[in-house]
Amino acid sequence: MSMKKIIIANWKMNPQTAEEALRLVKGILAQRLSKNIELIIAPPFVYLDLVRKNCGREIKLAAQNISWAERGAYTGEISSLMIRNLGCDYVIIGHSERRHKMGETDEMINLKLKAAFKVGLVPVLAVGEKESNDDIIKVLTRQVKSALEGIGVSEIGRLIIAYEPVWAISTSGTGMIDTPDHALSAVLLIKKIMSNLYGSEWAADLPVLYGGSVTSENAYDFITQSGISGALVGDASLKLQDFIKIIKEAEINE
């Protein structure tokens, strides 16, 4: 896995028109993008092909979700193979909004990871505690271990984990802000859990991103932590100038 800083734009259920999606992509490409950053866009399914045709070689493509099922009678679902054949390299799995709003279970997330690995997608596994007073060791251990149940070390080389403290996300309503020190301690905890599962040598190189309301104001403080491999950016990725600033902050820390 590359040791580049990784920046993922998670557009969620935005924007509402293809024209706006294209404007965002072209605005990003108008910048001189560093080759030392892995820049990934995760648009809604309906814009994946549009973004793919317009993102050049500088931007990689991610799906926001996949089905755990390979094929068949699953109305409204989209399979991992469809996503791979469309040109996606990555897929976000286990995002907090899907866990808490859509009722995704640890078992479903495990099946989705297996589906992604099977077709050669790189899963971005999102983990994180919901409340600031949750037992972070207990929550992260459960989420990581259950997600990777039955997945061998040979596949784990194609895995990214995103630490996403739900309580620090602006739409959570808590008004609480995470600190770079806390984020780094959570990332190191994730690496320790992975080390216990797969061995310390491999866990040291595991890319772990931060994803708790990354903004153009705080991105530098999180991204420059030596143990944090980049950022999973939500709302700020839809504001072109803010997102460009986040990309530039990552470039400073090459």
Side-chain angles (χ1 to χ4, degrees), residues 90-206:
Y90 300 86
V91 57
I92 300 170
I93 294 176
H95 192 280
S96 63
E97 289 158 6
R98 296 209 59 85
R99 290 177 189 265
H100 302 303
K101 294 179 183 178
M102 317 298 180
E104 280 195 12
T105 63
D106 290 333
E107 184 184 15
M108 289 164 70
I109 290 160
N110 174 243
L111 291 171
K112 289 184 179 194
L113 275 173
K114 288 174 178 172
F117 281 128
K118 189 170 183 180
V119 300
L121 287 167
V122 176
V124 180
L125 171 65
V127 298
E129 72 280 23
K130 191 173 183 185
E131 309 291 344
S132 60
N133 58 357
D134 283 347
D135 184 336
I136 187 171
I137 296 175
K138 192 173 175 183
V139 172
L140 292 184
T141 301
R142 190 201 82 238
Q143 288 179 343
V144 171
K145 284 183 78 172
S146 62
L148 297 170
E149 182 73 38
I151 294 170
V153 72
S154 61
E155 292 170 310
I156 293 301
R158 291 183 294 109
L159 174 70
I160 296 169
I161 294 182
Y163 171 60
E164 187 194 22
V166 183
W167 51 268
I169 296 171
S170 56
T171 53
S172 66
T174 65
M176 300 178 76
I177 298 169
D178 203 357
T179 64
D181 282 350
H182 175 265
L184 180 59
S185 68
V187 166
L188 295 175
L189 171 59
I190 289 166
K191 291 196 176 217
K192 185 179 179 187
I193 295 163
M194 292 300 289
S195 175
N196 291 339
L197 290 173
Y198 295 101
S200 57
E201 190 177 317
W202 180 86
D205 293 333
L206 170 73

Side-chain angles (χ1 to χ4, degrees), residues 56-108:
R57 293 183 177 179
E58 296 96 331
I59 298 174
K60 295 288 199 302
L61 204 58
Q64 294 180 16
N65 181 37
I66 50 168
S67 173
W68 51 265
E70 255 186 53
R71 63 186 71 234
Y74 297 94
T75 301
E77 291 294 297
I78 295 171
S79 77
S80 54
L81 195 55
M82 290 175 185
I83 290 304
R84 192 75 179 108
N85 287 338
L86 194 62
C88 284
D89 293 305
Y90 300 86
V91 57
I92 300 170
I93 294 176
H95 192 280
S96 63
E97 289 158 6
R98 296 209 59 85
R99 290 177 189 265
H100 302 303
K101 294 179 183 178
M102 317 298 180
E104 280 195 12
T105 63
D106 290 333
E107 184 184 15
M108 289 164 70

